[in-house]
């Protein structure tokens, strides 16, 4: 039962089922001071008037407790018979529970009650544990947990909870022992002990995670890779003759980093982060040319058919004058053409291929793949990456590109096993997107504005929220919105397309294509359009019910416009009344277009839980630590993990055996891998 409900199956698990708060039972109140203001109260006095009221299923036990200052009623709706037998009129009791008011009198239902005399010590801080409804019905309450852990601590000795952290780390970072930490977390005798305990256990959680990441990284860096020794004719010719603009400083720096990696003889595992529109594609293309210069093939893989196509078109165009063949391989490429491409990849005559997941199918064999670029990586698991690697005797270099700006603390946790490059500079001459917020009441004007933009020949996105919990409702409002838009935009005059997740993928693709090709003026959509689509002629992004979107999500959406020469607009439409918090979030969007700033704020406001689809990954499942608030601890643990592994990379030293064991017990390595 415990195992099913809370994943508790051993004493060890029980010890790690931490209280989420404490009842302060250090104070005794005078009964006259008890009122609704105090949620919980602890009082002591004499028990009188024990009696039953009501009949049958509605019967309850009532009693009165009084001290020198007043009286209060105690109530039991369940177990009345048993309580009646255990309580004695005229005896002294100490009572703790939740206060409610009824008819102007205060009462405590189902109090914790124990005999009391002047020598009885006051309980102190009492842990409060989470349980589930099912457990509660079986009588396993918060109180049962407290009793169980208390009993456990009476039985065990310090030696029963062995230390896992090495002594020098304990000393250096001023950490208390594991035994004390656990004891004080459950039963803190002072506030200070509680804090010390909490710090220690957070430290341990983060340290273990950092150790895992650091080990993964060690494995990566130990991996030998192809050595790209030359910067040759392809790269140089492109740079001199075909590059359509000057590279930004950030692009140059990143290319240099990539050249260093690929020239080192080790396999590159690099994450390239750059805000939407920062120009990652050209970096990918030039890295691929570097591979070609050294006699290798290169591929670029995108998460969707449309993105693969877009990459294919823009890369073909960039390389058109250089006589380098580029081909597109997706699930839709079949029959003769597919056979041809597979043949050219196998014999090495095709140097650059752009594609989707189709690139990692078993049937796709490269002659000598030197570089794999993965765009918008969070949709690819490491399992898939690993399959790419198996295609040759040595794995290709891997460049992972993402437009999701990741705050440093999170990056350390999520991508700690990858080297990170950042393009932190937009190409010059971009027009800032004008972001405004409007209330629903102003919808008419907003629509008129959108129409006037479309009349100028531009295209517009209108995006609706779609969140799983309220999916049906959201879906209905999307449909209603679509109907409304069709009325607003005379259907005979304007073309409207719609894409959403419930469409069959072929249909979705066709609708998207209509917009991409300029055949549709307005695209009504859910966030399925979020990633990477490039329609330079689109200049308006209208976000409906903006208060329901995450900041990073809105930022991604906004990045869909402002890609052409025209002034672009992002309009955040909100309900007529919005909460203080929503208002704050919307204001952040209006005040900055800096993706990193927005991501930091988003992380602080929402926590990492649902930010990057990491919820399922298990990677952020810390019981106590919070990667936003505990940034300093995270930094400490990262340092400590790196240092430890420098001295003992395989954790062979005797003082690291319990750590090693613990890491092996986590059994999570597979999950960890999945992230990158
Ligand atoms: P993202 O990082 O979002 O993938 P892209 O690579 O699609 O961005 O680049 C966005 C646009 O900026 C493209 O039209 C590209 O040609 C242009 N661009 C990229 N780098 C530069 C630069 N250094 N100077 C001017 N324009 C650039
Ligand atoms: Mg891109």
């Amino acid at each position: 039962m415990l195992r099913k409900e809370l994943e508790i199956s051993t004493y060890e698990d029980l010890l790690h089922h931490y209280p989420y708060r404490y009842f302060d039972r250090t104070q005794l109140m005078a009964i006259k001071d008890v009122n609704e203001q105090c949620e919980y109260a602890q009082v002591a006095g004499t028990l009188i008037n024990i009696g039953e009221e009501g009949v049958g299923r509605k019967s309850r036990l009532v009693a009165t407790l009084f001290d020198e200052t007043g009286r209060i009623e105690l109530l039991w709706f369940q177990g009345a018979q048993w309580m009646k037998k255990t309580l004695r009129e005229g005896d002294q009791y100490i009572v703790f529970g939740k206060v409610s008011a009824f008819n102007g009198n205060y009462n405590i239902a189902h109090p914790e009650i124990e005999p009391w005399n002047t020598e009885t010590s006051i309980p102190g801080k009492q842990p409060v544990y989470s349980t589930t409804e099912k457990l509660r019905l079986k009588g396993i309450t918060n109180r049962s947990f407290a009793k169980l852990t208390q009993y456990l601590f009476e039985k065990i000795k310090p030696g029963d909870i062995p230390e896992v952290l090495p002594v020098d780390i304990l000393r250096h970072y001023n950490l208390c022992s594991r035994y004390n930490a656990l004891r004080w977390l459950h039963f803190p005798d002072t506030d200070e002990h509680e804090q010390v305990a909490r710090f220690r256990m957070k430290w341990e959680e983060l340290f273990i995670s950092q150790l895992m990441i650091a080990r993964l990284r060690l494995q990566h860096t130990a991996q030998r890779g192809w050595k790209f020794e030359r910067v040759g004719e392809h790269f140089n010719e492109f740079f001199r003759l075909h590059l359509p603009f000057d590279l930004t400083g950030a692009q140059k720096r990143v290319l240099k980093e990539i050249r260093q990696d690929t020239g080192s003889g080790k396999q590159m595992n690099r994450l390239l982060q750059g805000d939407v529109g920062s120009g990652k594609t050209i970096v990918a293309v030039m890295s691929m040319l570097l591979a070609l210069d050294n006699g290798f093939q290169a591929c670029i893989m995108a998460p969707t058919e449309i993105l693969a196509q877009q990459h294919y078109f823009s890369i073909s165009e960039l390389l058109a004058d250089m006589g380098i063949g580029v081909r597109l391989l997706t699930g839709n490429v079949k029959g003769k053409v597919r056979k041809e491409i597979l043949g050219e990849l196998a014999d090495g005559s095709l140097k650059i291929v752009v594609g989707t997941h189709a690139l990692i199918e078993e049937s796709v064999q490269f002659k000598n793949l030197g570089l794999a670029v993965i765009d918008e990586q969070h949709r690819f698991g490491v399992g898939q990456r690993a399959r790419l690697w198996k295609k040759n005797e040595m794995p290709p270099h891997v460049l992972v590109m993402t437009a999701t700006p990741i705050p440093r603390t999170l990056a350390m946790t999520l991508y700690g096993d990858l080297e990170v490059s950042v393009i932190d500079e937009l190409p010059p001459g971009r027009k800032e997107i004008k972001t405004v917020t409007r209330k629903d009441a102003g919808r008419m004007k907003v629509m008129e504005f959108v129409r006037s933009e479309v009349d100028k020949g531009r295209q517009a996105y209108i995006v609706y929220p779609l969140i799983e919990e309220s999916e049906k409702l959201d879906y209905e409002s999307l449909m209603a919105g679509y109907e409304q838009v069709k009325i607003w935009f005379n259907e005979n005059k304007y073309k409207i397309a719609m894409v959403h997740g419930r469409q069959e993928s072929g249909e979705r693709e066709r609708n998207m294509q209509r917009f991409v090709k300029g055949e549709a003026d307005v695209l009504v959509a859910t966030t399925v359009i979020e990633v990477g689509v490039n329609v330079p002629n689109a200049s308006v992004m209208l976000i409906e019910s903006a208060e329901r979107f995450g900041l990073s999500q809105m930022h991604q959406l906004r990045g869909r416009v402002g890609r052409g020469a025209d002034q672009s607009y992002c309009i955040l439409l909100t309900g007529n009344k919005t909460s203080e918090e929503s208002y704050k979030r919307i204001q952040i969007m209006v005040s900055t277009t800096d993706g990193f700033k927005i991501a930091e704020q988003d992380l602080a406001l929402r926590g990492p839980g649902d930010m990057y689809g990491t919820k399922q990954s298990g990677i952020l499942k810390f019981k106590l630590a919070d990667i936003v608030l505990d940034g300093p601890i995270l930094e400490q643990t990262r340092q400590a993990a790196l240092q430890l592994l420098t001295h003992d990379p395989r954790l062979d030293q005797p003082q690291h055996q319990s750590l090693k064991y613990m890491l092996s017990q986590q059994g999570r390595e597979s999950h960890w891998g999945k992230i990158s």
Side-chain angles (χ1 to χ4, degrees), residues 245-248 251 275-281 427-428 430 563:
F245 35 68
D246 290 335
L247 293 176
T248 62
Q251 285 169 325
D275 213 344
V276 282
S278 61
K280 294 183 291 295
T281 313
R430 286 282 161 81
R563 308 189 138 237

Side-chain angles (χ1 to χ4, degrees), residues 275-277 279-281 307 311 375-376 401 403 532-534 560 563:
D275 213 344
V276 282
K280 294 183 291 295
T281 313
L307 289 176
H311 273 315
D375 198 13
E376 296 301 344
M401 305 198 293
V533 193
N534 188 24
R560 298 303 115 220
R563 308 189 138 237

Side-chain angles (χ1 to χ4, degrees), residues 356-399:
T356 55
H357 284 74
L359 285 180
I360 49 180
E361 278 163 24
E362 216 62 59
S363 56
V364 183
Q365 296 291 334
F366 291 85
K367 177 154 184 275
N368 58 355
L369 182 62
L371 171 71
V373 181
I374 303 178
D375 198 13
E376 296 301 344
Q377 60 90 42
H378 51 281
R379 301 211 180 168
F380 286 104
V382 97
Q384 289 160 323
R385 214 166 82 187
R387 273 168 68 190
L388 264 177
W389 297 353
K390 271 194 283 178
K391 294 190 180 296
N392 291 92
E393 72 245 46
M394 253 208 293
H397 298 294
V398 177
L399 180 67

Side-chain angles (χ1 to χ4, degrees), residues 304-318:
T304 68
E305 178 97 23
I306 288 178
L307 289 176
Q309 276 180 21
Q310 288 199 334
H311 273 315
Y312 171 68
F313 289 129
S314 55
I315 293 171
S316 308
E317 202 179 296
L318 281 168

